[in-house]
mmCIF file of all heavy atoms in Angstrom:
data_model
loop_
_atom_site.group_PDB
_atom_site.id
_atom_site.type_symbol
_atom_site.label_atom_id
_atom_site.label_comp_id
_atom_site.label_asym_id
_atom_site.label_seq_id
_atom_site.Cartn_x
_atom_site.Cartn_y
_atom_site.Cartn_z
ATOM 1 N N VAL T 29 -26.871 53.666 189.492
ATOM 2 C CA VAL T 29 -25.815 52.929 188.805
ATOM 3 C C VAL T 29 -24.658 52.826 189.783
ATOM 4 O O VAL T 29 -24.158 53.845 190.267
ATOM 5 C CB VAL T 29 -25.370 53.629 187.502
ATOM 6 C CG1 VAL T 29 -24.188 52.907 186.884
ATOM 7 C CG2 VAL T 29 -26.523 53.712 186.514
ATOM 8 N N ASP T 30 -24.268 51.592 190.100
ATOM 9 C CA ASP T 30 -23.254 51.334 191.119
ATOM 10 C C ASP T 30 -23.676 52.033 192.416
ATOM 11 O O ASP T 30 -24.749 51.781 192.906
ATOM 12 C CB ASP T 30 -21.863 51.748 190.635
ATOM 13 C CG ASP T 30 -21.404 50.882 189.461
ATOM 14 O OD1 ASP T 30 -21.731 49.680 189.453
ATOM 15 O OD2 ASP T 30 -20.732 51.408 188.567
ATOM 16 N N ASN T 31 -22.876 52.945 192.931
ATOM 17 C CA ASN T 31 -23.219 53.616 194.190
ATOM 18 C C ASN T 31 -23.699 55.039 193.993
ATOM 19 O O ASN T 31 -23.673 55.834 194.928
ATOM 20 C CB ASN T 31 -22.012 53.606 195.137
ATOM 21 C CG ASN T 31 -21.656 52.203 195.569
ATOM 22 O OD1 ASN T 31 -22.542 51.382 195.787
ATOM 23 N ND2 ASN T 31 -20.365 51.920 195.661
ATOM 24 N N VAL T 32 -24.128 55.381 192.787
ATOM 25 C CA VAL T 32 -24.593 56.739 192.493
ATOM 26 C C VAL T 32 -26.107 56.709 192.291
ATOM 27 O O VAL T 32 -26.629 55.885 191.550
ATOM 28 C CB VAL T 32 -23.901 57.301 191.232
ATOM 29 C CG1 VAL T 32 -24.430 58.680 190.901
ATOM 30 C CG2 VAL T 32 -22.393 57.339 191.422
ATOM 31 N N THR T 33 -26.802 57.630 192.960
ATOM 32 C CA THR T 33 -28.245 57.765 192.806
ATOM 33 C C THR T 33 -28.533 59.135 192.215
ATOM 34 O O THR T 33 -28.145 60.159 192.788
ATOM 35 C CB THR T 33 -28.965 57.621 194.164
ATOM 36 O OG1 THR T 33 -28.669 56.341 194.704
ATOM 37 C CG2 THR T 33 -30.469 57.763 194.002
ATOM 38 N N VAL T 34 -29.189 59.144 191.050
ATOM 39 C CA VAL T 34 -29.555 60.390 190.380
ATOM 40 C C VAL T 34 -31.076 60.457 190.331
ATOM 41 O O VAL T 34 -31.722 59.534 189.839
ATOM 42 C CB VAL T 34 -28.989 60.443 188.940
ATOM 43 C CG1 VAL T 34 -29.454 61.711 188.224
ATOM 44 C CG2 VAL T 34 -27.472 60.357 188.958
ATOM 45 N N THR T 35 -31.641 61.550 190.847
ATOM 46 C CA THR T 35 -33.090 61.740 190.819
ATOM 47 C C THR T 35 -33.406 63.024 190.081
ATOM 48 O O THR T 35 -32.812 64.075 190.360
ATOM 49 C CB THR T 35 -33.664 61.803 192.253
ATOM 50 O OG1 THR T 35 -33.350 60.591 192.930
ATOM 51 C CG2 THR T 35 -35.175 61.985 192.226
ATOM 52 N N ALA T 36 -34.328 62.917 189.137
ATOM 53 C CA ALA T 36 -34.839 64.092 188.429
ATOM 54 C C ALA T 36 -36.282 64.275 188.890
ATOM 55 O O ALA T 36 -37.087 63.351 188.807
ATOM 56 C CB ALA T 36 -34.773 63.892 186.925
ATOM 57 N N VAL T 37 -36.580 65.462 189.396
ATOM 58 C CA VAL T 37 -37.904 65.759 189.935
ATOM 59 C C VAL T 37 -38.676 66.609 188.936
ATOM 60 O O VAL T 37 -38.132 67.535 188.328
ATOM 61 C CB VAL T 37 -37.771 66.488 191.291
ATOM 62 C CG1 VAL T 37 -39.133 66.886 191.841
ATOM 63 C CG2 VAL T 37 -37.030 65.600 192.290
ATOM 64 N N GLN T 38 -39.962 66.269 188.782
ATOM 65 C CA GLN T 38 -40.828 66.985 187.835
ATOM 66 C C GLN T 38 -40.684 68.496 188.024
ATOM 67 O O GLN T 38 -40.681 68.997 189.145
ATOM 68 C CB GLN T 38 -42.279 66.560 188.062
ATOM 69 C CG GLN T 38 -43.238 67.143 187.048
ATOM 70 C CD GLN T 38 -44.673 66.720 187.338
ATOM 71 O OE1 GLN T 38 -45.147 66.823 188.455
ATOM 72 N NE2 GLN T 38 -45.346 66.234 186.318
ATOM 73 N N SER T 39 -40.547 69.190 186.920
ATOM 74 C CA SER T 39 -40.462 70.648 186.846
ATOM 75 C C SER T 39 -39.146 71.256 187.345
ATOM 76 O O SER T 39 -38.991 72.464 187.312
ATOM 77 C CB SER T 39 -41.637 71.318 187.562
ATOM 78 O OG SER T 39 -42.841 70.907 186.956
ATOM 79 N N GLU T 40 -38.184 70.454 187.805
ATOM 80 C CA GLU T 40 -36.873 70.988 188.183
ATOM 81 C C GLU T 40 -35.964 70.948 186.955
ATOM 82 O O GLU T 40 -34.908 70.312 186.950
ATOM 83 C CB GLU T 40 -36.262 70.184 189.344
ATOM 84 C CG GLU T 40 -36.923 70.440 190.672
ATOM 85 C CD GLU T 40 -36.217 69.752 191.845
ATOM 86 O OE1 GLU T 40 -35.178 69.075 191.654
ATOM 87 O OE2 GLU T 40 -36.730 69.889 192.965
ATOM 88 N N ASN T 41 -36.369 71.646 185.905
ATOM 89 C CA ASN T 41 -35.652 71.625 184.631
ATOM 90 C C ASN T 41 -34.198 72.044 184.789
ATOM 91 O O ASN T 41 -33.899 73.001 185.497
ATOM 92 C CB ASN T 41 -36.341 72.552 183.625
ATOM 93 C CG ASN T 41 -37.747 72.097 183.320
ATOM 94 O OD1 ASN T 41 -38.474 71.639 184.195
ATOM 95 N ND2 ASN T 41 -38.137 72.212 182.072
ATOM 96 N N GLY T 42 -33.319 71.320 184.101
ATOM 97 C CA GLY T 42 -31.896 71.642 184.106
ATOM 98 C C GLY T 42 -31.163 71.205 185.359
ATOM 99 O O GLY T 42 -29.979 71.463 185.497
ATOM 100 N N MET T 43 -31.884 70.533 186.283
ATOM 101 C CA MET T 43 -31.302 70.116 187.556
ATOM 102 C C MET T 43 -31.553 68.631 187.793
ATOM 103 O O MET T 43 -32.548 68.088 187.328
ATOM 104 C CB MET T 43 -31.961 70.870 188.723
ATOM 105 C CG MET T 43 -31.886 72.363 188.678
ATOM 106 S SD MET T 43 -30.351 72.997 189.325
ATOM 107 C CE MET T 43 -30.438 72.510 191.017
ATOM 108 N N VAL T 44 -30.662 68.012 188.538
ATOM 109 C CA VAL T 44 -30.876 66.668 189.060
ATOM 110 C C VAL T 44 -30.361 66.655 190.491
ATOM 111 O O VAL T 44 -29.631 67.562 190.908
ATOM 112 C CB VAL T 44 -30.166 65.572 188.229
ATOM 113 C CG1 VAL T 44 -30.782 65.435 186.856
ATOM 114 C CG2 VAL T 44 -28.670 65.812 188.152
ATOM 115 N N ARG T 45 -30.748 65.636 191.224
ATOM 116 C CA ARG T 45 -30.243 65.445 192.576
ATOM 117 C C ARG T 45 -29.315 64.227 192.536
ATOM 118 O O ARG T 45 -29.754 63.140 192.191
ATOM 119 C CB ARG T 45 -31.386 65.223 193.548
ATOM 120 C CG ARG T 45 -32.335 66.401 193.595
ATOM 121 C CD ARG T 45 -33.539 66.141 194.466
ATOM 122 N NE ARG T 45 -34.500 67.230 194.344
ATOM 123 C CZ ARG T 45 -35.602 67.324 195.067
ATOM 124 N NH1 ARG T 45 -35.889 66.392 195.966
ATOM 125 N NH2 ARG T 45 -36.425 68.335 194.892
ATOM 126 N N VAL T 46 -28.048 64.457 192.845
ATOM 127 C CA VAL T 46 -27.060 63.378 192.854
ATOM 128 C C VAL T 46 -26.773 63.038 194.305
ATOM 129 O O VAL T 46 -26.259 63.880 195.045
ATOM 130 C CB VAL T 46 -25.759 63.785 192.123
ATOM 131 C CG1 VAL T 46 -24.743 62.659 192.179
ATOM 132 C CG2 VAL T 46 -26.057 64.186 190.690
ATOM 133 N N ASN T 47 -27.146 61.824 194.723
ATOM 134 C CA ASN T 47 -27.023 61.416 196.124
ATOM 135 C C ASN T 47 -27.581 62.505 197.051
ATOM 136 O O ASN T 47 -26.962 62.882 198.040
ATOM 137 C CB ASN T 47 -25.580 61.066 196.471
ATOM 138 C CG ASN T 47 -25.094 59.876 195.684
ATOM 139 O OD1 ASN T 47 -25.866 59.018 195.278
ATOM 140 N ND2 ASN T 47 -23.790 59.820 195.444
ATOM 141 N N ASN T 48 -28.759 63.033 196.687
ATOM 142 C CA ASN T 48 -29.514 64.039 197.438
ATOM 143 C C ASN T 48 -28.924 65.447 197.431
ATOM 144 O O ASN T 48 -29.335 66.290 198.226
ATOM 145 C CB ASN T 48 -29.787 63.588 198.882
ATOM 146 C CG ASN T 48 -30.848 62.514 198.925
ATOM 147 O OD1 ASN T 48 -31.817 62.557 198.160
ATOM 148 N ND2 ASN T 48 -30.678 61.541 199.802
ATOM 149 N N HIS T 49 -27.966 65.734 196.543
ATOM 150 C CA HIS T 49 -27.424 67.084 196.405
ATOM 151 C C HIS T 49 -27.813 67.632 195.043
ATOM 152 O O HIS T 49 -27.603 66.967 194.025
ATOM 153 C CB HIS T 49 -25.892 67.088 196.546
ATOM 154 C CG HIS T 49 -25.422 66.634 197.895
ATOM 155 N ND1 HIS T 49 -25.557 67.402 199.028
ATOM 156 C CD2 HIS T 49 -24.846 65.475 198.294
ATOM 157 C CE1 HIS T 49 -25.073 66.741 200.070
ATOM 158 N NE2 HIS T 49 -24.633 65.557 199.642
ATOM 159 N N HIS T 50 -28.381 68.843 195.004
ATOM 160 C CA HIS T 50 -28.781 69.455 193.735
ATOM 161 C C HIS T 50 -27.563 69.727 192.863
ATOM 162 O O HIS T 50 -26.544 70.220 193.357
ATOM 163 C CB HIS T 50 -29.520 70.781 193.977
ATOM 164 C CG HIS T 50 -30.946 70.585 194.352
ATOM 165 N ND1 HIS T 50 -31.350 70.362 195.647
ATOM 166 C CD2 HIS T 50 -32.068 70.557 193.595
ATOM 167 C CE1 HIS T 50 -32.657 70.217 195.675
ATOM 168 N NE2 HIS T 50 -33.127 70.331 194.458
ATOM 169 N N SER T 51 -27.677 69.408 191.585
ATOM 170 C CA SER T 51 -26.594 69.651 190.622
ATOM 171 C C SER T 51 -27.189 70.173 189.325
ATOM 172 O O SER T 51 -28.225 69.694 188.879
ATOM 173 C CB SER T 51 -25.832 68.361 190.317
ATOM 174 O OG SER T 51 -25.204 67.869 191.464
ATOM 175 N N ARG T 52 -26.513 71.148 188.742
ATOM 176 C CA ARG T 52 -26.909 71.662 187.428
ATOM 177 C C ARG T 52 -26.271 70.799 186.355
ATOM 178 O O ARG T 52 -25.198 70.271 186.532
ATOM 179 C CB ARG T 52 -26.437 73.102 187.237
ATOM 180 C CG ARG T 52 -27.194 74.104 188.043
ATOM 181 C CD ARG T 52 -27.203 75.469 187.350
ATOM 182 N NE ARG T 52 -28.267 76.287 187.865
ATOM 183 C CZ ARG T 52 -29.544 76.203 187.480
ATOM 184 N NH1 ARG T 52 -29.902 75.360 186.566
ATOM 185 N NH2 ARG T 52 -30.460 76.999 187.997
ATOM 186 N N LEU T 53 -26.968 70.682 185.227
ATOM 187 C CA LEU T 53 -26.436 69.917 184.102
ATOM 188 C C LEU T 53 -25.548 70.801 183.246
ATOM 189 O O LEU T 53 -25.739 72.016 183.223
ATOM 190 C CB LEU T 53 -27.588 69.365 183.270
ATOM 191 C CG LEU T 53 -28.558 68.444 184.017
ATOM 192 C CD1 LEU T 53 -29.598 67.895 183.069
ATOM 193 C CD2 LEU T 53 -27.837 67.319 184.720
ATOM 194 N N PRO T 54 -24.596 70.262 182.536
ATOM 195 C CA PRO T 54 -24.210 68.849 182.423
ATOM 196 C C PRO T 54 -23.270 68.451 183.557
ATOM 197 O O PRO T 54 -22.566 69.278 184.120
ATOM 198 C CB PRO T 54 -23.494 68.795 181.072
ATOM 199 C CG PRO T 54 -22.858 70.142 180.942
ATOM 200 C CD PRO T 54 -23.801 71.107 181.633
ATOM 201 N N ILE T 55 -23.266 67.137 183.864
ATOM 202 C CA ILE T 55 -22.337 66.615 184.857
ATOM 203 C C ILE T 55 -21.857 65.232 184.421
ATOM 204 O O ILE T 55 -22.534 64.532 183.677
ATOM 205 C CB ILE T 55 -22.932 66.536 186.282
ATOM 206 C CG1 ILE T 55 -24.242 65.756 186.301
ATOM 207 C CG2 ILE T 55 -23.109 67.888 186.892
ATOM 208 C CD1 ILE T 55 -24.805 65.566 187.699
ATOM 209 N N SER T 56 -20.672 64.890 184.916
ATOM 210 C CA SER T 56 -20.086 63.578 184.671
ATOM 211 C C SER T 56 -19.772 62.987 186.038
ATOM 212 O O SER T 56 -19.205 63.667 186.895
ATOM 213 C CB SER T 56 -18.821 63.728 183.828
ATOM 214 O OG SER T 56 -18.235 62.479 183.597
ATOM 215 N N LEU T 57 -20.176 61.737 186.251
ATOM 216 C CA LEU T 57 -20.019 61.106 187.561
ATOM 217 C C LEU T 57 -19.225 59.808 187.443
ATOM 218 O O LEU T 57 -19.161 59.212 186.370
ATOM 219 C CB LEU T 57 -21.405 60.804 188.149
ATOM 220 C CG LEU T 57 -22.358 61.993 188.257
ATOM 221 C CD1 LEU T 57 -23.776 61.525 188.490
ATOM 222 C CD2 LEU T 57 -21.899 62.932 189.361
ATOM 223 N N SER T 58 -18.683 59.362 188.565
ATOM 224 C CA SER T 58 -17.933 58.092 188.626
ATOM 225 C C SER T 58 -16.877 58.003 187.528
ATOM 226 O O SER T 58 -16.815 57.024 186.786
ATOM 227 C CB SER T 58 -18.880 56.895 188.542
ATOM 228 O OG SER T 58 -19.740 56.867 189.634
ATOM 229 N N HIS T 59 -16.063 59.050 187.419
ATOM 230 C CA HIS T 59 -14.974 59.084 186.436
ATOM 231 C C HIS T 59 -15.488 58.868 185.014
ATOM 232 O O HIS T 59 -14.887 58.135 184.228
ATOM 233 C CB HIS T 59 -13.883 58.062 186.776
ATOM 234 C CG HIS T 59 -13.395 58.174 188.193
ATOM 235 N ND1 HIS T 59 -12.629 59.226 188.622
ATOM 236 C CD2 HIS T 59 -13.597 57.377 189.273
ATOM 237 C CE1 HIS T 59 -12.371 59.078 189.910
ATOM 238 N NE2 HIS T 59 -12.950 57.967 190.328
ATOM 239 N N GLY T 60 -16.628 59.467 184.691
ATOM 240 C CA GLY T 60 -17.173 59.398 183.326
ATOM 241 C C GLY T 60 -18.051 58.195 183.057
ATOM 242 O O GLY T 60 -18.580 58.051 181.955
ATOM 243 N N LYS T 61 -18.257 57.322 184.051
ATOM 244 C CA LYS T 61 -19.107 56.144 183.835
ATOM 245 C C LYS T 61 -20.574 56.527 183.668
ATOM 246 O O LYS T 61 -21.348 55.765 183.107
ATOM 247 C CB LYS T 61 -18.967 55.163 184.999
ATOM 248 C CG LYS T 61 -17.644 54.461 185.053
ATOM 249 C CD LYS T 61 -17.626 53.479 186.213
ATOM 250 C CE LYS T 61 -16.297 52.765 186.314
ATOM 251 N NZ LYS T 61 -16.268 51.882 187.486
ATOM 252 N N LEU T 62 -20.945 57.698 184.186
ATOM 253 C CA LEU T 62 -22.321 58.180 184.102
ATOM 254 C C LEU T 62 -22.276 59.651 183.701
ATOM 255 O O LEU T 62 -21.658 60.467 184.389
ATOM 256 C CB LEU T 62 -22.987 58.008 185.472
ATOM 257 C CG LEU T 62 -24.493 58.009 185.550
ATOM 258 C CD1 LEU T 62 -25.090 56.889 184.702
ATOM 259 C CD2 LEU T 62 -24.945 57.845 186.995
ATOM 260 N N ARG T 63 -22.906 59.957 182.567
ATOM 261 C CA ARG T 63 -22.916 61.328 182.058
ATOM 262 C C ARG T 63 -24.354 61.798 181.933
ATOM 263 O O ARG T 63 -25.215 61.057 181.443
ATOM 264 C CB ARG T 63 -22.209 61.408 180.713
ATOM 265 C CG ARG T 63 -20.733 61.069 180.787
ATOM 266 C CD ARG T 63 -20.033 61.086 179.436
ATOM 267 N NE ARG T 63 -20.770 60.541 178.316
ATOM 268 C CZ ARG T 63 -20.921 59.245 178.047
ATOM 269 N NH1 ARG T 63 -20.399 58.346 178.831
ATOM 270 N NH2 ARG T 63 -21.586 58.850 176.982
ATOM 271 N N ILE T 64 -24.615 63.024 182.366
ATOM 272 C CA ILE T 64 -25.967 63.576 182.315
ATOM 273 C C ILE T 64 -25.894 64.950 181.677
ATOM 274 O O ILE T 64 -25.102 65.799 182.099
ATOM 275 C CB ILE T 64 -26.576 63.708 183.732
ATOM 276 C CG1 ILE T 64 -26.373 62.416 184.520
ATOM 277 C CG2 ILE T 64 -28.045 64.087 183.644
ATOM 278 C CD1 ILE T 64 -26.611 62.565 186.006
ATOM 279 N N HIS T 65 -26.693 65.148 180.648
ATOM 280 C CA HIS T 65 -26.753 66.465 180.031
ATOM 281 C C HIS T 65 -28.167 66.735 179.532
ATOM 282 O O HIS T 65 -29.009 65.847 179.522
ATOM 283 C CB HIS T 65 -25.719 66.613 178.908
ATOM 284 C CG HIS T 65 -25.899 65.673 177.765
ATOM 285 N ND1 HIS T 65 -25.371 64.407 177.751
ATOM 286 C CD2 HIS T 65 -26.570 65.811 176.601
ATOM 287 C CE1 HIS T 65 -25.691 63.814 176.620
ATOM 288 N NE2 HIS T 65 -26.433 64.626 175.911
ATOM 289 N N GLN T 66 -28.387 67.981 179.160
ATOM 290 C CA GLN T 66 -29.701 68.363 178.660
ATOM 291 C C GLN T 66 -29.721 68.215 177.155
ATOM 292 O O GLN T 66 -28.779 68.582 176.470
ATOM 293 C CB GLN T 66 -30.020 69.805 179.065
ATOM 294 C CG GLN T 66 -31.474 70.138 178.909
ATOM 295 C CD GLN T 66 -31.898 71.311 179.777
ATOM 296 O OE1 GLN T 66 -31.212 71.664 180.723
ATOM 297 N NE2 GLN T 66 -33.030 71.900 179.447
ATOM 298 N N ARG T 67 -30.781 67.612 176.647
ATOM 299 C CA ARG T 67 -30.980 67.478 175.210
ATOM 300 C C ARG T 67 -32.347 68.087 174.921
ATOM 301 O O ARG T 67 -33.366 67.496 175.230
ATOM 302 C CB ARG T 67 -30.929 66.022 174.779
ATOM 303 C CG ARG T 67 -31.177 65.871 173.280
ATOM 304 C CD ARG T 67 -31.106 64.454 172.822
ATOM 305 N NE ARG T 67 -29.708 64.063 172.659
ATOM 306 C CZ ARG T 67 -29.324 62.844 172.328
ATOM 307 N NH1 ARG T 67 -30.215 61.902 172.148
ATOM 308 N NH2 ARG T 67 -28.064 62.568 172.170
ATOM 309 N N GLY T 68 -32.338 69.292 174.350
ATOM 310 C CA GLY T 68 -33.594 70.006 174.139
ATOM 311 C C GLY T 68 -34.247 70.284 175.477
ATOM 312 O O GLY T 68 -33.620 70.797 176.388
ATOM 313 N N ARG T 69 -35.503 69.888 175.621
ATOM 314 C CA ARG T 69 -36.222 70.102 176.880
ATOM 315 C C ARG T 69 -36.120 68.904 177.815
ATOM 316 O O ARG T 69 -36.820 68.837 178.818
ATOM 317 C CB ARG T 69 -37.706 70.378 176.589
ATOM 318 C CG ARG T 69 -37.934 71.666 175.853
ATOM 319 C CD ARG T 69 -39.405 71.811 175.519
ATOM 320 N NE ARG T 69 -39.651 73.045 174.820
ATOM 321 C CZ ARG T 69 -40.222 74.100 175.373
ATOM 322 N NH1 ARG T 69 -40.621 74.067 176.619
ATOM 323 N NH2 ARG T 69 -40.409 75.190 174.666
#
């Protein structure tokens, strides 16, 4: 979305890669334009 790349890799539960950097959830990116959180599993 815009200039942000978020990748979720199989079995990396609770984590995403934001522009190739590992991040734990929840996170808010681009001043709240993109929000990522865990919902159940």
